[in-house]
């Protein structure tokens, strides 16, 4: 297993895609956190949020990665599987070790350090730009608060777990283009609309259902998000969020093992 994991880690770093996405993620998180930080403090009434609690505001800004940027680690996790299938590099891997279950486990374990790198870079980029623009907007960045750094740490964990969800998606949808389109459509359009629609249309009951969607689970793990700033008390606890994300990764991977990885991959 150790050899298989080392091989999967090496595959991540064998192409430029990992650092291209990492740079894009850092820039995107800095842009979003900076814009939100300034808007939430300089003109909170225009942003439609209650900025009376500077801690909640800061946590929502610094956790923007788990709210809007989690697609990046999810993509790199998906590519870990679909890239293997697309380029047929999975064939020599299975010839060396024919256990497909062990291969999927190795892909998850190999994705963890890469996901951690994405989590750290995304979270720190959000803190750097967000704190600067919160201060520029006349607010308190709250960088001396342990609760803020707890959110940053938990946001890093959430983004790391999203890499595992991506591996699960790739194991179910073997076609790389289809997997990436489905992932982007769900994370950027379907879930945000579903979360707002369920809460608006069904009230508290809809909010309880929306809390178990994967993006909401990531927000819960980070203990802060734009959604919770607009609708306090709408998220699960941090540990429940972690379990839900891990559950999505596990269910998708098992489904992939029983479908894609049951077929002839040669």
């Amino acid at each position: 297993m150790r050899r298989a994991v080392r091989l999967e880690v090496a595959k991540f770093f064998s192409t430029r895609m990992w650092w291209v996405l990492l740079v894009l993620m850092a820039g995107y998180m800095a842009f979003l956190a900076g814009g939100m930080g300034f808007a939430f403090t300089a003109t909170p009434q225009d942003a439609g949020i209650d900025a009376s609690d500077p801690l909640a505001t800061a946590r929502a800004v610094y956790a923007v990665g788990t709210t809007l940027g989690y697609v990046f680690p999810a993509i790199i996790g998906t590519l870990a599987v679909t890239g293997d299938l697309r380029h047929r590099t999975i064939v020599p891997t299975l010839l060396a070790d024919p256990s497909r279950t062990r291969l999927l486990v190795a892909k998850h374990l190999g994705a963890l350090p890469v996901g951690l790198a994405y989590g750290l870079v995304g979270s720190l980029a959000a803190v750097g730009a967000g704190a600067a623009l919160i201060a520029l907007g006349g607010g308190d960045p709250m960088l001396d608060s342990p609760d803020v750094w707890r959110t940053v740490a938990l946001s890093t964990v959430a983004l790391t777990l999203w890499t595992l969800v991506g591996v699960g998606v790739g194991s179910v949808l073997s076609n790389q283009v289809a997997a990436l389109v489905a992932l982007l459509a769900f994370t950027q359009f379907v879930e945000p609309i579903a979360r707002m629609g369920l809460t608006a249309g069904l009230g508290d009951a809809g909010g309880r259902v929306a809390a178990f969607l994967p993006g909401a689970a990531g927000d819960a793990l980070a203990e802060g998000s734009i959604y919770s700033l607009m609708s306090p008390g709408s998220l699960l606890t941090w540990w429940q969020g972690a379990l839900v994300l891990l559950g999505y990764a596990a269910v998708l991977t098992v489904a992939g093992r029983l479908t894609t990885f049951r077929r002839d991959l040669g």
Side-chain angles (χ1 to χ4, degrees):
M1 177 59 74
R2 187 176 302 175
R3 180 182 177 186
V5 172
R6 285 201 302 267
L7 177 61
E8 294 304 323
V9 173
K11 287 179 183 178
F12 274 108
F13 297 109
S14 64
T15 69
R16 291 177 292 179
M17 185 58 69
W18 73 271
W19 66 260
V20 170
L21 284 175
L22 191 64
V23 171
L24 288 174
M25 181 183 185
Y28 187 45
M29 293 304 93
F31 172 75
L32 289 178
M36 287 168 48
F38 185 78
F40 288 177
T41 51
T43 57
Q45 64 282 355
D46 295 335
I49 59 102
D50 178 10
S52 59
D53 184 348
L55 176 59
T57 301
R59 293 171 83 175
V61 171
Y62 301 151
V64 67
T66 59
T67 305
L68 298 170
Y70 59 87
V71 67
F72 289 95
I75 285 175
I76 202 68
T78 300
L79 291 176
V81 183
T82 58
D84 243 7
L85 294 168
R86 180 182 180 184
H87 299 292
R88 297 302 183 213
T89 50
I90 197 168
V91 175
T93 301
L94 288 175
L95 287 174
D97 184 352
S99 174
R100 301 179 182 209
T101 299
R102 189 155 45 240
L103 173 60
L104 284 172
V105 172
K107 285 189 176 296
H108 278 289
L109 294 176
L112 283 174
V114 182
L116 180 60
Y118 274 74
L120 286 170
V121 169
S123 297
L124 293 178
V127 171
L133 272 294
I134 286 175
L136 185 63
D140 183 355
M142 299 295 292
L143 293 180
D144 58 345
S145 170
D147 288 333
V148 161
W149 291 107
R150 173 183 169 87
T151 290
V152 174
L154 290 174
S155 179
T156 301
V157 173
L159 291 171
T160 302
L161 295 185
W162 266 105
T163 312
L164 305 185
V165 175
V167 172
V169 171
S171 67
V172 172
L173 299 174
S174 58
N175 183 282
Q176 189 170 84
V177 174
L180 294 178
V181 169
L183 190 62
L184 288 168
F186 182 83
T187 59
Q188 304 304 298
F189 298 104
V190 176
E191 178 169 350
I193 293 172
R195 286 178 70 175
M196 292 185 290
L198 283 167
T199 303
L202 300 176
D204 291 341
R208 286 192 292 272
V209 173
F212 286 90
L213 292 172
D219 285 346
L221 176 51
E223 295 187 332
S225 74
I226 306 169
Y227 293 101
S228 61
L229 194 62
M230 295 186 294
S231 180
S234 60
L235 298 176
L236 302 171
T237 61
W238 72 269
W239 63 269
Q240 290 172 330
L243 289 178
V244 169
L245 270 185
L246 286 170
Y248 276 105
V251 168
L252 287 168
T253 303
V254 170
R257 177 63 184 87
L258 296 176
T259 55
T260 301
F261 280 78
R262 194 174 182 179
R263 302 195 299 264
D264 180 15
L265 299 176

